Amino acid sequence: MSGAPLRVQVPMRWGDMDAYGHVNNVNLIRLMEEARIAGFGVPGGTGAPGMDPKADIFSAVPAGVQILVVEHRVRYSRPLEYRNVPVNVDLWVANIKPASFEICYEFRDPIEDYLCVKAATTLAYFDPAVGRVQRLSEAERQGLAAFEGAPTFAK
């Protein structure tokens, strides 16, 4: 990877907390999505303009092409305790293949910066007009490769 992972901060909501004071595992998936958008942008043709992401790689996806989640993997090393400050999330890209890639995450406590969660989301570009996954163009692969690092989980 060319440099350090992207670090974004994602607000935790009071409602994300479970009875133990930790961010609930279901709500962690939402935090992964929020981190992905903060880091790499809103998919083209969705939503209205707002804050610019750290690295805008998703807005260039051609009109009509969807970015779909293929798989999520999550490993907890410490509880992510609810705090009324945003959680630190480090992001990078891994396992770039002809038609899919992973966004990797490390969730760190926002005060003490210890690692709480490692996760990965496999994404693919899907063309609903033809009903199948679309191969990544060379330009898309190069854009992703600028943020490439080691995968979170060995395959």
Side-chain angles (χ1 to χ4, degrees):
M1 178 164 54
S2 59
L6 296 178
R7 176 163 279 192
V8 298
Q9 294 184 316
V10 179
M12 292 185 271
R13 302 176 307 181
W14 177 259
D16 291 340
M17 184 175 33
D18 62 18
Y20 300 110
H22 310 142
V23 171
N24 180 276
N25 60 359
V26 173
N27 291 325
L28 185 78
I29 301 297
R30 183 195 57 80
L31 292 175
M32 290 165 60
E33 179 180 57
E34 294 294 334
R36 202 166 53 244
I37 297 305
F40 297 119
V42 174
T46 62
M51 281 182 37
D52 290 334
K54 296 267 185 171
D56 195 357
I57 60 175
F58 289 155
S59 69
V61 174
V65 172
Q66 300 171 349
I67 302 173
L68 299 182
V69 171
V70 175
E71 176 183 31
H72 290 300
R73 292 187 67 192
V74 180
R75 182 171 298 145
Y76 299 90
S77 52
R78 287 180 74 166
L80 176 56
E81 296 185 73
Y82 170 80
R83 295 184 189 264
N84 63 351
V85 295
V87 62
N88 294 321
V89 185
D90 294 329
L91 299 166
W92 65 96
V93 175
N95 290 326
I96 301 171
K97 296 182 178 169
S100 67
F101 58 95
E102 286 183 355
I103 302 293
C104 300
Y105 316 78
E106 287 187 351
F107 285 78
R108 298 185 165 279
D109 180 82
I111 304 298
E112 300 177 39
D113 204 44
Y114 54 77
L115 179 64
C116 298
V117 178
K118 288 183 171 188
T121 300
T122 303
L123 299 172
Y125 294 176
F126 180 78
D127 187 342
V130 295
R132 66 175 188 250
V133 171
Q134 176 180 307
R135 293 177 72 83
L136 300 172
S137 70
E138 186 57 36
E140 289 165 338
R141 292 174 65 79
Q142 287 177 359
L144 293 167
F147 304 99
E148 190 171 16
T152 299
F153 304 105
K155 294 266 179 179

